[in-house]
Amino acid sequence: MKDDTSRLREITAVLHRYHITRGVTPEKLRQILEDLGPTYVKLGQIMSLHSDILPKAYCNELMKLTSEVKPMLFGEVEKILNESYGKDWKEVFGSIDEEPIGSASIAQVHRAVLRDGSPVIIKVRRRGIATTMKRDIELLHKAVRVLPAAVPRLRGIVDLDMVLDELWSVAKEEMDFTREAANMEEFAEKNEGIAYIAVPKLYKEYTTHHVLVMEYIDGFAINDKAALSDRGYDLTEIGRKFANSFIKQVMDDGFFHADPHPGNVKIREGKIVWLDMGMMGRLDDRDRRIMIRGVEAIAMHDISRVTDAVLDLGVFWSKPDRDSLYDDIRDFLQRYQSKGMGDIDLAVAMSDMMDIMKENHMSMPHGMTMLARGLTQVEGVLAYISPEVNMMEIAYQRLIEERLKEPDIKGELGHIGRKLWRMSVNGSEIPSLTSEIMKEYLRGKGQMTLDLKPTDSLTAVIDRAVRNLVIGLCILGLLVGSSIICATDLRPKILGIPFLGFIGFFIAVSAIIYFTSRYFIRKIIRRRRNRPRKGRYRNSIGGRIR
């Protein structure tokens, strides 16, 4: 409890230093998380996945967070290895470089050599990191209950406790290296038949919850243009294969790398090597089919089909307004109407679609938000190494090829079958419903409900009319009440009028003068604003503006 109190004081001090009550800009949020320490940096990196909740500017800023922290002493690393294996680490490794090649908030990485001479990478989890992150998440849960006025809008539309629970769930997965090992095995299995894709060899027998051992990968980062060009690589070919690989992961496997930044993708011996599988995204068959249907609809500029796909995919925070969503999607598609498939930026299009969903109080499944982040990073790599490669064009071509090669007869038949079933069920009720409506009408009990959606201008006119009516009735009430009091002999009197009646008349007359003068003043101002100024125009047609 004492630790929680002191940590809460630290958090409060940081928030006060940045004057959080004056608002939180994207840059300020990133700086706050950096000052709060490594665990909050990791939470910020996970938060950057939530483009369905946070505005795009905040997600982009949080993606800049780097979790490089002071490395653990090698003696501490030795203790963790010995505890994980239940024996001296020298029985497993021939040697370990004491200087880490990377030190992050959750783990640090060392190069090593197995006793058989194989060069490997060891990923060692920091001691106590799970406890520290759990404590900080619990403190954030407490902070949510007294969330300052800096973010009232966010609190009104999002269950922040649910978001924190999801952050903790993702963090736990990333801290469990047996989960990352399982991801590596699954990814390798799904990409086994692709000649230009490789995954580091996993040494499962030496991997535990706290330690991950895998093959050491040399080679070059995918965005190292100079080194790749010097060695005869075709950057356009690399970009096309990189995009194809990611699209295949999403559209075919439903299991994709959610953090494909250049540090996690290397080129070695003519192959694209995918690294660091701690953060992977998943799409179930239903979400994947809906997404593919949406891509097809966007390509054909079919507003209704895109709307249906969004409604099927999204989760509403409040009652859906299909008309509003339809209008937003129509405007979205009009922006791409004159563009070919090769001119559409898939990451930008998906980001725009998520903005539309936010405006309509909808959220996407977690897998789709991770996909949005992954697409942004892939597009960033492509823009740098091979800007002529377009992911949307590749995705659509792949979709057409798959349709021609292996048409989804089962899926299409199921979709048609569900429509026919709904038509048959609802159609069979039409005669009886028509009969009931006619009977109610003949009995004089027919009712009709109208769902009117007035415009803002009409609402303002109605509000003004109702307000004026209420004020008029109040003034009338004062005049009538005062007149009744004047008919009595109540004392004291002013100018021969009972005091209460005089006050009533005074208030009523003052109100009449005030509102009447206000009306005429506004009318004069409006008339002057609309009157053209003398000499401003030489003539009405073909004249020059002075």
Side-chain angles (χ1 to χ4, degrees), residues 282-542:
R282 288 187 184 274
L283 295 173
D284 58 32
D285 287 341
R286 173 186 172 275
D287 290 345
R288 195 158 46 88
R289 284 197 300 269
I290 294 172
M291 183 197 67
I292 291 172
R293 206 168 73 220
V295 171
E296 288 178 327
I298 290 173
M300 293 185 289
H301 300 283
D302 189 327
I303 304 173
S304 295
R305 287 186 65 194
V306 176
T307 306
D308 290 339
V310 171
L311 288 171
D312 288 343
L313 194 62
V315 178
F316 278 91
W317 304 329
S318 59
K319 185 180 177 181
D321 185 345
R322 185 186 173 92
D323 292 340
S324 174
L325 179 63
Y326 183 93
D327 291 341
D328 289 339
I329 290 175
R330 180 191 59 205
D331 296 339
F332 164 78
L333 290 180
Q334 282 177 348
R335 293 201 294 272
Y336 297 98
Q337 196 163 12
S338 60
K339 295 184 178 182
M341 294 303 295
D343 299 323
I344 297 176
D345 187 322
L346 187 55
V348 172
M350 188 165 186
S351 177
D352 290 344
M353 183 59 71
M354 294 186 86
D355 287 342
I356 289 173
M357 295 181 76
K358 273 185 286 191
E359 289 170 6
N360 286 273
H361 306 297
M362 299 174 69
S363 63
M364 278 190 175
H366 183 57
M368 295 298 293
T369 61
M370 297 185 85
L371 173 59
R373 174 195 170 108
L375 282 171
T376 301
Q377 292 183 336
V378 172
E379 287 281 13
V381 173
L382 293 177
Y384 182 68
I385 67 169
S386 49
E388 65 276 13
V389 176
N390 182 271
M391 287 193 72
M392 187 68 173
E393 186 177 20
I394 293 174
Y396 191 60
Q397 286 176 354
R398 187 180 187 90
L399 193 62
I400 293 173
E401 289 171 5
E402 290 296 323
R403 284 282 189 266
L404 293 174
K405 182 175 69 177
E406 230 176 274
D408 187 10
I409 297 174
K410 183 179 177 181
E412 292 298 326
L413 287 176
H415 186 60
I416 294 170
R418 284 191 296 272
K419 280 191 171 182
L420 290 173
W421 171 254
R422 285 197 296 267
M423 287 172 60
S424 63
V425 170
N426 295 334
S428 64
E429 295 178 0
I430 290 176
S432 60
L433 289 173
T434 304
S435 176
E436 289 295 327
I437 291 170
M438 292 303 296
K439 287 178 182 178
E440 292 293 328
Y441 176 75
L442 292 172
R443 291 173 187 162
K445 295 181 179 180
Q447 294 181 349
M448 180 179 291
T449 303
L450 294 177
D451 184 12
L452 298 177
K453 296 180 180 178
T455 61
D456 291 340
S457 58
L458 178 59
T459 303
V461 170
I462 294 172
D463 286 344
R464 193 160 54 246
V466 171
R467 185 178 67 244
N468 293 341
L469 178 61
V470 171
I471 292 171
L473 289 174
C474 291
I475 293 173
L476 180 62
L478 280 172
L479 292 173
V480 172
S482 300
S483 299
I484 293 171
I485 291 173
C486 288
T488 65
D489 196 26
L490 287 175
R491 295 181 182 276
K493 294 186 176 183
I494 298 177
L495 301 176
I497 302 172
F499 176 74
L500 288 178
F502 180 83
I503 293 296
F505 280 127
F506 178 78
I507 293 173
V509 172
S510 299
I512 291 170
I513 294 171
Y514 170 75
F515 287 109
T516 304
S517 60
R518 184 178 171 187
Y519 169 76
F520 283 111
I521 289 170
R522 283 187 173 181
K523 194 170 182 179
I524 292 168
I525 292 172
R526 198 179 301 119
R527 186 177 296 168
R528 285 183 176 178
R529 282 179 181 171
N530 295 333
R531 183 187 302 163
R533 295 179 184 176
K534 291 183 179 180
R536 185 173 181 182
Y537 300 102
R538 177 71 59 84
N539 49 48
S540 60
I541 300 176

Side-chain angles (χ1 to χ4, degrees), residues 7 39-40 43 131-140:
R7 181 58 173 156
T39 55
Y40 280 88
L43 292 177
T131 304
T132 303
M133 290 195 77
K134 184 178 180 183
R135 179 199 63 187
D136 286 346
I137 288 285
E138 288 173 351
L139 288 175
L140 285 172

Side-chain angles (χ1 to χ4, degrees), residues 7-23:
R7 181 58 173 156
L8 197 56
R9 284 201 199 99
E10 291 175 16
I11 294 171
T12 305
V14 171
L15 297 181
H16 277 305
R17 187 161 67 245
Y18 282 95
H19 306 289
I20 191 172
T21 53
R22 298 180 187 175

Side-chain angles (χ1 to χ4, degrees), residues 44-292:
Q45 290 173 334
I46 299 171
M47 283 166 60
S48 68
L49 298 171
H50 280 276
S51 51
D52 62 328
I53 295 174
L54 291 176
K56 183 164 52 178
Y58 285 84
C59 292
N60 292 341
E61 189 67 28
L62 292 179
M63 286 174 70
K64 298 177 185 177
L65 288 168
T66 56
S67 52
E68 286 293 323
V69 297
K70 184 179 178 181
M72 293 184 288
L73 296 175
F74 186 67
E76 183 69 15
V77 173
E78 289 181 304
K79 288 180 183 178
I80 296 171
L81 290 172
N82 293 341
E83 290 172 5
S84 296
Y85 294 137
K87 56 186 177 184
D88 194 321
W89 64 264
K90 293 178 182 177
E91 297 181 31
V92 178
F93 304 101
S95 65
I96 301 176
D97 289 356
E98 294 190 13
E99 192 70 26
I101 59 176
S103 179
S105 55
I106 287 180
Q108 72 182 43
V109 180
H110 291 258
R111 287 190 64 176
V113 178
L114 293 176
R115 290 183 67 84
D116 65 3
S118 302
V120 295
I121 287 291
I122 306 175
K123 197 172 179 181
V124 183
R125 193 174 90 181
R126 288 181 175 274
R127 189 187 298 279
I129 185 64
T131 304
T132 303
M133 290 195 77
K134 184 178 180 183
R135 179 199 63 187
D136 286 346
I137 288 285
E138 288 173 351
L139 288 175
L140 285 172
H141 274 295
K142 293 177 183 177
V144 161
R145 300 188 187 100
V146 289
L147 195 68
V151 283
R153 178 177 169 272
L154 184 63
R155 177 141 196 204
I157 59 176
V158 179
D159 185 346
L160 292 174
D161 284 308
M162 183 184 70
V163 172
L164 289 173
D165 288 339
E166 187 175 326
L167 290 178
W168 175 232
S169 176
V170 173
K172 281 193 296 185
E173 286 186 12
E174 200 170 347
M175 287 187 289
D176 185 355
F177 292 155
T178 59
R179 177 65 65 90
E180 183 173 347
N183 289 340
M184 290 177 65
E185 289 182 312
E186 184 177 353
F187 190 88
E189 181 183 347
K190 291 182 181 297
N191 291 274
E192 189 175 5
I194 303 176
Y196 61 86
I197 297 297
V199 181
K201 178 184 176 182
L202 171 70
Y203 290 90
K204 195 173 181 180
E205 64 273 26
Y206 303 132
T207 295
T208 69
H209 292 286
H210 299 81
V211 180
L212 179 68
V213 182
M214 70 180 83
E215 172 191 7
Y216 171 71
I217 301 293
D218 48 11
F220 306 95
I222 193 170
N223 66 340
D224 191 348
K225 292 199 294 186
L228 293 172
S229 297
D230 289 344
R231 283 155 183 81
Y233 284 103
D234 183 344
L235 295 179
T236 301
E237 181 188 5
I238 289 175
R240 186 167 290 279
K241 287 181 175 178
F242 177 52
N244 259 309
S245 174
F246 188 77
I247 290 168
K248 182 259 180 189
Q249 294 170 33
V250 174
M251 298 180 71
D252 295 356
D253 304 336
F255 180 70
F256 58 91
H257 202 298
D259 196 21
H261 63 76
N264 286 339
V265 187
K266 285 193 173 185
I267 306 298
R268 186 187 70 167
E269 299 175 0
K271 294 188 177 185
I272 299 173
V273 187
W274 293 83
L275 307 171
D276 193 355
M277 309 260 171
M279 193 179 293
M280 302 294 289
R282 288 187 184 274
L283 295 173
D284 58 32
D285 287 341
R286 173 186 172 275
D287 290 345
R288 195 158 46 88
R289 284 197 300 269
I290 294 172
M291 183 197 67
I292 291 172

